[in-house]
Amino acid sequence: MVLLHGLQDCSRSWDFLASTMSKKYRVLALDHRGHGDSDWADPNHYQLVDYVSDIEALFDKENLKDVILIGHSAGGRNAFMYACLLYTSDAAD
């Protein structure tokens, strides 16, 4: 399970849900760039494509498959766009 926070938040907003769900799932709560414990990026790299590429990098690095992807607010938008990216790349295959 991957949890994505909103624009003015951080991964810690998921602590209660992550604690509960970790009894059944491996849970990762991502700090989007410039939030929480993540590093700051160049000021020109805070666009939707950048956030989606961070999600893609997490999935690649952790070799994640069959994931429950949950986001709220901007995290929901990022999750939606990442899912669209996966769907369109699978459809091309």
Side-chain angles (χ1 to χ4, degrees):
M1 179 177 292
V2 174
L3 307 173
L4 304 174
H5 63 79
L7 187 61
Q8 300 299 320
D9 219 333
C10 70
S11 65
R12 299 302 308 254
S13 65
W14 294 107
D15 283 355
F16 179 76
L17 179 66
S19 174
T20 301
M21 298 310 288
S22 67
K23 296 175 178 107
K24 184 171 180 178
Y25 299 98
R26 175 181 179 212
V27 179
L28 301 172
L30 176 69
D31 267 328
H32 289 295
R33 58 178 62 208
H35 295 80
D37 293 328
S38 71
D39 292 330
W40 287 92
D42 179 285
N44 296 320
H45 292 108
Y46 286 92
Q47 304 299 317
L48 178 58
V49 66
D50 301 311
Y51 292 115
V52 172
S53 70
D54 292 344
I55 298 167
E56 184 175 28
L58 173 69
F59 273 60
D60 290 345
K61 179 181 181 224
E62 297 293 326
N63 195 30
L64 300 177
K65 307 281 188 237
D66 300 321
V67 173
I68 298 169
L69 184 57
I70 300 173
H72 74 83
S73 189
R77 177 200 60 191
N78 299 342
F80 177 80
M81 294 307 295
Y82 179 71
C84 289
L85 175 72
L86 285 180
Y87 178 77
T88 56
S89 67
D90 286 347
D93 291 341

